[in-house]
Structure formats: structure tokens, C-alpha cells
Amino acid sequence: MSIAIDQALLTRKERQAREYATPSAPPTTVPVIEAIATGVPDLVLDQSVAADWMAGHFIDSEQQARIRRIFRKTMINTRRFAVDPLAPRPHAPSGTSATIQDRMHLFYRHAVPLAVDVARRALDGVDPADLGLLVFATSTGVIAPGVDVAVIEELGLPRSVARLVVNFMGCAAAMNGIRTASDFVQANPDKKAMVLCIELNSVHVFPIEDVDDAVIHSLFGDGCGAVVIGANRGAEQAEAGSIVIRDKFTHLFEATEDGIAVGVHHDGIRCELSENVPKYIYNGVAPVVGDILRRNGLRQSDIDVWAIHPGGPKILLESARSLGLPATASSTSWAVLGEFGNMSSVALIFVLERIAGEAEASKPISTGVAFSFAPGITIEGFVFDVVSH
């Protein structure tokens, strides 16, 4: 009798275990950048014109010559702007001194149409119902409800889409957003995520006070970029032009807080760069990249493509020098820098777009490393395969 009762209890427990068992995990997937779109404002400013304009603020010929040298050394030919940075007091009504509120209104007015256009093109062919997450990143606009809400309204996206706003992550904000979006689609393989970045640095052009202001005035431009990320079984099943994210990494360099700072001032948002930035990058890049490569069973010689943030010549040169690479290893980054300047978080999306479009047909899959830098200083990036077959 006791044996029969024990068997009945065991059978009941087994049945209950089956009824309440945790559902089996979905097949292992990897995040894939399925689409990329970029856009810039209409105003194109030649770098030599900008140099002459700034030099004209000084009487001393040596200072004028120094300013022109600073602009030439950027290796930038042209930049795009939403607001003409050469116009006298362009940021406030009635010619008065601009306030942070004036600049935020200006940001929103110019950002929405550009962001909507870029997002629409990135989502071309995507069922809006499949979009589960929208990550919006910027360091040049702080306003809520903001551009992310306008994009949802204008494009008729699901009102249930989850939203994440990333502010003040500087030039690495796109990488930060891609990391979050990648985690989302792996946890929700039936959904897609979009990372949308826009930087309108021209909204925050400040009055020139001394020659040192030439560095900031010579580097930054405006732009917008978006990537759509989905989940896939791997590079072999991804479509041509896709970027398959193998692994992601982030690392806060020690004792580098002075390197890159982004903050709100009474009259606008400022980005301040320390003269120590090149040293911090040279010392910090190689150990972090070396670790991520080893974690993925890769050697540096296995990397076909380097997507380094085109923040300026020193950033590109010191990153390459740290890795023992020639400067030409990041040729796509140099090309984007020359054509658009430093667009902060947006710039690396432009680089990835070109890499995806230029993948060698002779090599079905090329392996790459992408990274950028955030205030801290933090390096943020990922290892990827770009599919060309």
C-alpha cells in the first residue's frame, strides 16, 4: 500500500513539475545591425573659411597664424551645420545673449525634422509593430518630451515602444545605445531596436574669448545617424551589408576624469577637452582591445576593419599608435573626419555605414573592431563581422 501511495505521489509531483516548468530558452541568437541611415543639415562650411573667420577676431598676426594652423591640423575639409556658426548672435531672439533655454528651443526645432527623416529611412521595410525599443542619444539637447517622442508621433510608431534617452555620454553614446539595444534584442528575439543619435553642436557655438577657443571651434559639426538592430542566428544567416555584433566592451580608464567633460553652462552646453586626452588614449586602448580579442579567440592580425571614432587627428593617431597600427588602418574614419568633422556620437555611425557598404566582395565575412570614447574617459565598442556575400 505504501509503495502504491509513494508512486502516486511521485507521479503527481512529476506532472506538476512539467506543468510549472520554466519554458525552454530560445535558440542562441546574436545582435545584428540590419540597417543604417545617416543625414546632415544643409549648410556646408569650408574649413578654410571658418579659419579665416575666427582669425579675423584677432589683430595680432601671430595669433591669426596660429589659428589657421590649428584649423589645418584638424584634417577637416568641410563640416555641416543646422545653424550658421559664423552669423553674429544667431542663437537668441532680438540679438540678445543666448540662454540655455534659447538653445534648447533651437535644438528641438532643427533636430526633429532631421531625426524624423533619418529614422524613417532606417526603418524602411521594418514593420512598426516589430519595434520594441527606441534608444535616443544626444549630448547637445536636453528636453522632455523630446525628439524621441516627436519621432514616434511623426512616424506612427507603436505607442507601446520602450524608450531610453542617453544624455552626456559624448562621442561614445552610439556605442552605449548599441550595447543596450543588442541586449534587448537578444532577450526579445522577436523584436527590433533602433538607436537614433543626433548632435547639433552649432546650437551651442559660444563667443570667442581667446585663441584656445580655436580647438573646439575647429572640430565639431552636426549630423544624425540611426541603426536598426535585430536578432539572428549568426553571420552565415545575415543578409549582405549586415554587421553582426560578436561581443561588446566598455572600460573606464583610471584617473582620467579631466580628459573629456560635457556639462550645462548658463548659456549652453560645452564640451571641454584636456591636453591629456592623447596620452590617455595611447595608454588605455591597447590593453582593453587586447582583452576583448583574446576573449573571442582572435588575434589583432585577424581584424580586417578598424572603425575608430573620427574625433580628430590625435584621437585617430594615438589609437592606432597604441595598437601598433599604421594610421591608414582606420582609413574610413579619416574620410568621415575630413568630410564632416567630429559629429560626436553620430560620427561612428557614419563610419559603420561606409564599412557596411564597402565590404570586399572577395571576402564573404570581414571581422572588425569599433570603438569610441565617452567622458570619464571611457572606451566603448564592439567586435563585429560585416557580411558581404
Side-chain angles (χ1 to χ4, degrees):
M1 178 71 70
S2 62
I3 294 175
I5 292 174
D6 289 344
Q7 288 178 338
L9 289 172
L10 182 61
T11 301
R12 187 163 66 247
K13 288 180 180 179
E14 289 176 341
R15 187 169 60 250
Q16 289 173 341
R18 285 195 296 269
E19 290 174 355
Y20 296 104
T22 303
S24 58
T28 301
T29 58
V30 294
V32 178
I33 297 177
E34 300 175 343
I36 305 177
T38 58
V40 291
D42 293 333
L43 177 61
V44 182
L45 179 63
D46 188 274
Q47 189 75 331
S48 62
V49 173
D52 290 340
W53 172 81
M54 185 161 184
H57 286 73
F58 299 88
I59 298 175
D60 184 77
S61 60
E62 291 186 6
Q63 289 180 321
Q64 292 177 342
R66 182 188 171 197
I67 288 169
R68 290 190 173 94
R69 283 197 303 271
I70 290 172
F71 274 74
R72 282 197 302 270
K73 286 181 178 180
T74 62
M75 304 298 290
I76 296 170
N77 299 314
T78 54
R79 289 177 287 163
R80 270 65 171 178
F81 294 107
V83 179
D84 187 354
L86 310 190
R89 297 189 181 278
H91 305 95
S94 305
T96 58
S97 180
T99 66
I100 185 65
Q101 184 179 39
D102 295 328
R103 295 180 192 267
M104 290 303 95
H105 289 320
L106 196 61
F107 170 85
Y108 186 82
R109 178 157 58 87
H110 287 281
V112 168
L114 180 57
V116 167
D117 172 66
V118 171
R120 179 183 287 111
R121 288 188 281 110
L123 290 169
D124 184 34
V126 175
D127 184 343
D130 291 340
L131 188 67
L133 174 67
L134 169 60
V135 181
F136 175 70
T138 184
S139 292
T140 52
V142 184
I143 186 169
V147 177
D148 55 321
V149 172
V151 168
I152 290 175
E153 296 283 3
E154 292 284 338
L155 298 185
L157 300 179
R159 307 192 79 81
S160 59
V161 66
R163 293 181 291 126
L164 174 65
V165 177
V166 179
N167 285 126
F168 291 169
M169 283 299 288
C171 300
M175 298 295 99
N176 188 271
I178 289 172
R179 172 162 53 85
T180 302
S182 297
D183 291 342
F184 174 84
V185 298
Q186 284 187 285
N188 303 273
D190 60 327
K191 293 293 185 179
K192 298 185 187 299
M194 180 170 67
V195 180
L196 175 64
C197 301
I198 189 166
E199 304 290 3
L200 300 184
N201 291 287
S202 63
V203 168
H204 298 283
V205 170
F206 53 89
I208 297 167
E209 297 177 356
D210 56 50
V211 177
D212 292 334
D213 292 334
V215 175
I216 296 297
H217 277 271
S218 68
L219 285 174
F220 291 98
D222 297 350
C224 182
V227 300
V228 175
I229 300 177
N232 201 301
R233 294 290 186 86
E236 292 75 12
Q237 298 186 20
E239 295 184 4
S242 299
I243 294 177
V244 180
I245 299 175
R246 281 197 186 195
D247 201 357
K248 310 171 292 291
F249 61 92
T250 183
H251 186 88
L252 175 63
F253 297 154
E254 187 175 356
T256 61
E257 289 84 354
D258 67 304
I260 303 172
V262 180
V264 178
H265 295 238
H266 73 281
D267 60 347
I269 294 173
R270 302 278 180 92
C271 177
E272 298 175 356
L273 305 174
S274 164
E275 61 181 10
N276 295 319
V277 169
K279 178 181 68 175
Y280 294 153
I281 289 175
Y282 173 72
N283 291 334
V285 167
V288 176
V289 172
D291 284 346
I292 192 68
L293 292 180
R294 285 188 292 272
R295 192 165 82 193
N296 287 272
L298 296 168
R299 298 166 298 178
Q300 192 164 297
S301 58
D302 296 323
I303 304 304
D304 305 298
V305 184
W306 293 93
I308 303 174
H309 170 60
K314 289 185 178 179
I315 288 176
L316 290 173
L317 290 171
E318 293 306 304
S319 294
R321 193 165 75 93
S322 179
L323 294 165
L325 297 170
T328 53
S330 56
S331 58
T332 306
S333 299
W334 282 102
V336 169
L337 176 66
E339 190 173 347
F340 300 101
N342 181 352
M343 295 176 287
S344 191
S345 68
V346 178
L348 206 51
I349 297 179
F350 276 65
V351 175
L352 292 172
E353 181 183 44
R354 293 191 178 193
I355 286 173
E358 297 169 357
E360 296 180 19
S362 59
K363 190 169 185 178
I365 298 175
S366 301
T367 301
V369 175
F371 60 85
S372 191
F373 302 97
I377 293 175
T378 301
I379 182 173
E380 182 110 29
F382 56 84
V383 180
F384 64 91
D385 291 320
V386 57
V387 181
S388 60
H389 60 256

